[in-house]
Amino acid sequence: MLTEAWTSRFFKHDDRKESDFVLKLPDAWWSRSCEYGWAASFVEADDIVLDAASGISHPFKFHLAASAKTVYACDIDSRITDDQAILEDVTKDFGPEETARLPEDLLRNIHRAEANLTSLPYEDAFFDKIFCISVMEHLDVSVQKRAWEQFSRILKPDGYVIMTFDYPTVDINILETLAELGGFEYAGRVESEMPADALFNDQWGRLYCYRAIFRKKKPPST
């Protein structure tokens, strides 16, 4: 039986939050405590996973390194492959005390690559799950389309994409279409209507945050 976590929907104010998620999250990261708390529920010990466009200081990849079997992270920023640059960025965003909390082996347990989502350097059908946290709002539609094609290529049959994104920056209908063209379908229930208690932030104009779980479709039988 699928749990409530498998429902694609807007985040709500009373959703589970993880304000201390490997590192203590800054208050300005208004939705990440919900995004990380939700996405972490899908990580399993035997998984081979990718944190796609992981960011440099962002700690979800550190959580994956402590929770999954094999962890990869990629970003278009070249600092992703530089241990010292990552630690410097963690210090800038979280402070030296938080940097000191990071276990020394976490970075060593992450296979990191400088890569664009339109051309990912991984084998076909390699990953069990791809995590894509607050990324799509930074990509134009043509790049999103190519990213979905790459996700389909590198995921195992019945693999999952677990993602979050800002709304209305991302048009949900367009994203659904691109996912379908890439060979994906929703996994679990879908709630498209915005609830009255939807989580939002007014810092950059009113933004909401949506979570979605997609499954790679099985190829048609011949």
Side-chain angles (χ1 to χ4, degrees), residues 164-175:
T164 64
F165 53 84
D166 290 346
Y167 173 88
T169 309
V170 173
D171 185 312
I172 296 176
N173 291 327
I174 292 176
L175 182 127

Side-chain angles (χ1 to χ4, degrees), residues 18-61:
E18 294 285 355
S19 58
D20 193 332
F21 191 86
V22 184
L23 303 169
K24 185 174 174 56
L25 301 179
D27 292 339
W29 291 21
W30 63 278
S31 59
R32 290 301 172 94
S33 61
C34 287
E35 294 173 86
Y36 288 163
W38 169 73
S41 68
F42 294 95
V43 185
E44 298 181 283
D46 289 336
D47 282 342
I48 300 174
V49 299
L50 172 65
D51 190 355
S54 65
I56 306 306
S57 69
H58 299 70
F60 193 75
K61 56 185 170 290

Side-chain angles (χ1 to χ4, degrees), residues 21-26 28-29 31-32 35-36 51-65 71 73-75 77 79-80 85-94 102 106-107 110 112 133-135 137-138 164:
F21 191 86
V22 184
L23 303 169
K24 185 174 174 56
L25 301 179
W29 291 21
S31 59
R32 290 301 172 94
E35 294 173 86
Y36 288 163
D51 190 355
S54 65
I56 306 306
S57 69
H58 299 70
F60 193 75
K61 56 185 170 290
F62 304 140
H63 172 78
L64 291 175
V71 179
C74 68
D75 200 272
D77 189 326
R79 293 178 297 166
I80 190 63
I86 291 175
L87 293 175
E88 289 173 359
D89 207 48
V90 170
T91 299
K92 177 175 71 69
D93 287 342
F94 299 92
L102 279 177
L106 282 187
L107 282 176
I110 305 171
R112 289 167 280 140
I133 308 299
S134 282
V135 173
E137 60 263 32
H138 302 290
T164 64

Side-chain angles (χ1 to χ4, degrees), residues 194-209:
M194 186 182 297
D197 59 344
L199 185 70
F200 68 88
N201 183 274
D202 285 329
Q203 186 173 357
W204 298 281
R206 180 154 293 196
L207 293 176
Y208 300 87
C209 192

Side-chain angles (χ1 to χ4, degrees), residues 4 9-17 34 195-200 211:
E4 197 279 333
R9 61 167 174 81
F10 287 95
F11 283 102
K12 303 174 185 178
H13 281 285
D14 62 353
D15 280 335
R16 168 192 171 193
K17 296 177 176 62
C34 287
D197 59 344
L199 185 70
F200 68 88
R211 68 188 208 189

Side-chain angles (χ1 to χ4, degrees), residues 83 87 99-110 112:
D83 288 12
L87 293 175
T99 305
R101 291 176 57 195
L102 279 177
E104 293 181 2
D105 62 344
L106 282 187
L107 282 176
R108 292 196 299 269
N109 291 339
I110 305 171
R112 289 167 280 140

